[in-house]
Amino acid sequence: MRVEFKKVVSAYSLRAFFITKFASFQRIRSERLKLAVRLPKSIAPVRPRFRLVSKASDISLKEILSRDAAGEILERFCKDQNFLKQTDDEGNTMLHLVIKLNARRCARLICTLNACDEPWLSRNSHGETPIQMNEQSEIADDLRILTSNFDIERESKFWMSDLNEELIEERLRDSNSTKEILVALDGGGIKGAAEIMALRELSLRLSSTSPSITSLFKSFDWIGGTSVGAVIAAFSAPRHHENGSQSPDTNLGSFLAETRATFHPKLKKPSFRGELLHKSLREHVGTSRLGDIEAKFVCTSVDGAMIPPRLLVFRNFPIEVQTDEDHREVEIVDALMASTASPLLLPVSPLGLSDGGVLAKNPSLVLLTEYHRFYAKAVRHPTPSLFLSLGTGYNEARRTSGIHFGDLPKNRVFFDWHFMRTTKNLFDVFVSQSTSGDTACLDQAAAWCLATRSPYFRINPPNINRLSLTCTDAEKVADFLWGVMVYLRTTARHDLDQLASFIKRLKS
């Protein structure tokens, strides 16, 4: 009883203490308010105000660069694509300032985003290039990779690359060649930036004065895409003027901004992402239909309600061997929504279809099939003069513990553990099969082109940091973009030079 009495007394004492303190606080506060009313404003006590910096625009550029915050640079670039073209009174570009502050990640990102202007060659009012300002730095070493003929070979070079030179000469000597160019673009979400960068590099080689991806697509006769590849193709392909307005040139900044907005973590429900994607597509292509695209256009989708799933191909041309499917009157938006409706991320499309990447992330075989079906009844069956396949990054192969359930142990404890691990491995195999473009179809498409003596180019950078297709982390995206940039300027440089030269000679 004594202990309980002490507890009650202490509780009441504590309550009385807080009541007294609160009353004292209220009295002091009221006296201060009265004093503030009586005194002039110049000497009245002012309550301190604390400002929380929440916007990137409130943070100075120098502070961002001093922290080497490449992610914040990318955020600003997505909002204003002229942001990287600023210069100071001495003619220093953004890259000059970055190399002064030794912000390596920011320097890499600036070179990647602004590659068309080649900022590493720009000079300030003193005649200095960024490399000359700090020649011993690691940033200078990175910039030398972009400026010199420095080769970094892939561990497993694509076997078709060595045969293209011979096949190109054969095509140029063939006077009866149709001179048709086929281009296939893989799916891959935000990694589609790699395809835009590859197209940008190719357009720079074809027209150094006014590079344009939209102008580049005028050289392509057949275009095939899956998911984001179909979106890039539909945005860039020329359309008939009388049926719809032309889209502006496809650029890296707008693509990154819209893709990152679609997959933003705050959008929890797939329906929200679907609405945002539909709105973005509608702004770009309006009410244009597949028949409005000038080139032969193909994009893939899947009817996932059927087992096994059925591949559905949207095309803007009729084929004689199957007349029951004519998609020329289908709106481009509906076809793209069907091709991008990833089962795990977006709702089913209005047409009830799912992402074409489930069965054909790399649409090369689909495009070749449609090409030969189109000419199935031709008297003289033509063959393509060039096939270009663009990828969104490949992951290095890794070994697992296997997918065989017959090897499971009899012990119950070990059985459960091995069963879960084997199930995970099997699931990873299915997912990688749907999300990888360098599967068996790559060799099959190349062999098909070799059989028809058509050059086949595959431009696919390594996905060094294994970026996911829905990643919105600006730092990871920046690292991925730099890896793509290095690949295009080193390993793929010879293929791009050869490709640009062949297109010029073929279309001249």
Side-chain angles (χ1 to χ4, degrees), residues 107-120 142-143 145-147 150 152 193-194 197-198 200-201 204-205 252 461-462 464 477-493 496:
R108 289 179 168 185
L109 182 63
I110 290 171
C111 292
T112 301
L113 299 177
N114 205 21
C116 290
D117 297 333
E118 296 187 337
W120 50 86
D142 291 340
L143 299 183
I145 294 177
L146 304 180
T147 56
F150 185 72
I152 301 176
M197 293 173 67
R200 183 182 65 184
E201 289 292 319
L204 277 170
R205 286 163 169 78
L252 188 60
I464 299 174
V477 173
D479 291 340
F480 172 76
L481 295 178
W482 172 251
V484 175
M485 184 68 178
V486 172
Y487 166 81
L488 294 174
R489 292 278 171 155
T490 55
T491 306
R493 188 188 67 251
L496 289 170

Side-chain angles (χ1 to χ4, degrees), residues 27 104 167 181 189 209 273 290 355 364 444 465 493 496:
R27 185 176 66 256
R104 189 180 187 186
L167 298 177
I181 299 177
T209 55
R273 297 190 179 102
L290 291 177
D355 191 345
S364 297
Q444 292 168 3
N465 58 348
R493 188 188 67 251
L496 289 170

Side-chain angles (χ1 to χ4, degrees), residues 433-450:
Q433 182 68 19
S434 299
T435 58
S436 176
D438 285 357
T439 53
C441 68
L442 176 62
D443 287 331
Q444 292 168 3
W448 197 336
C449 288
L450 181 60

Side-chain angles (χ1 to χ4, degrees), residues 134-145:
N134 193 354
E135 295 186 2
Q136 304 301 322
S137 64
E138 293 178 337
I139 301 178
D141 294 336
D142 291 340
L143 299 183
R144 290 189 187 97
I145 294 177

Side-chain angles (χ1 to χ4, degrees), residues 288-339:
S288 299
R289 304 182 184 277
L290 291 177
D292 297 335
I293 300 176
E294 294 181 4
K296 301 290 191 302
F297 179 80
V298 170
C299 74
T300 62
S301 186
V302 168
D303 186 356
M306 300 185 67
I307 298 178
R310 183 172 69 95
L311 181 67
L312 178 66
V313 180
F314 288 95
R315 61 182 75 85
N316 66 342
F317 52 89
I319 50 177
E320 297 182 4
V321 295
Q322 187 176 356
T323 57
D324 59 334
E325 292 184 1
D326 190 353
H327 304 126
R328 285 176 290 182
E329 294 302 317
V330 175
E331 288 194 6
I332 297 177
V333 172
D334 293 335
L336 295 182
M337 287 296 293
S339 186

Side-chain angles (χ1 to χ4, degrees), residues 322-443:
Q322 187 176 356
T323 57
D324 59 334
E325 292 184 1
D326 190 353
H327 304 126
R328 285 176 290 182
E329 294 302 317
V330 175
E331 288 194 6
I332 297 177
V333 172
D334 293 335
L336 295 182
M337 287 296 293
S339 186
T340 56
S342 175
L344 299 178
L345 302 170
L346 295 169
V348 66
S349 70
L351 300 179
L353 302 173
S354 300
D355 191 345
V358 174
L359 293 180
K361 180 180 183 292
N362 184 341
S364 297
L365 278 179
V366 176
L367 184 59
L368 281 171
T369 303
E370 294 300 314
Y371 177 83
H372 289 287
R373 289 174 69 187
F374 181 76
Y375 291 112
K377 295 186 178 181
V379 177
R380 186 178 182 275
H381 195 90
T383 56
S385 295
L386 171 64
F387 195 102
L388 171 61
S389 176
L390 299 178
T392 56
Y394 71 94
N395 296 328
E396 292 293 342
R398 57 186 179 90
R399 184 170 294 279
T400 66
S401 57
I403 58 174
H404 294 281
F405 289 89
D407 299 334
L408 296 177
K410 295 181 179 180
N411 185 290
R412 183 66 184 176
V413 176
F414 289 103
F415 178 87
D416 292 341
W417 183 73
H418 281 280
F419 180 82
M420 295 299 295
R421 186 179 64 175
T422 306
T423 304
K424 178 184 179 300
N425 292 341
L426 187 61
F427 178 77
D428 290 344
V429 168
F430 290 148
V431 171
S432 63
Q433 182 68 19
S434 299
T435 58
S436 176
D438 285 357
T439 53
C441 68
L442 176 62
D443 287 331

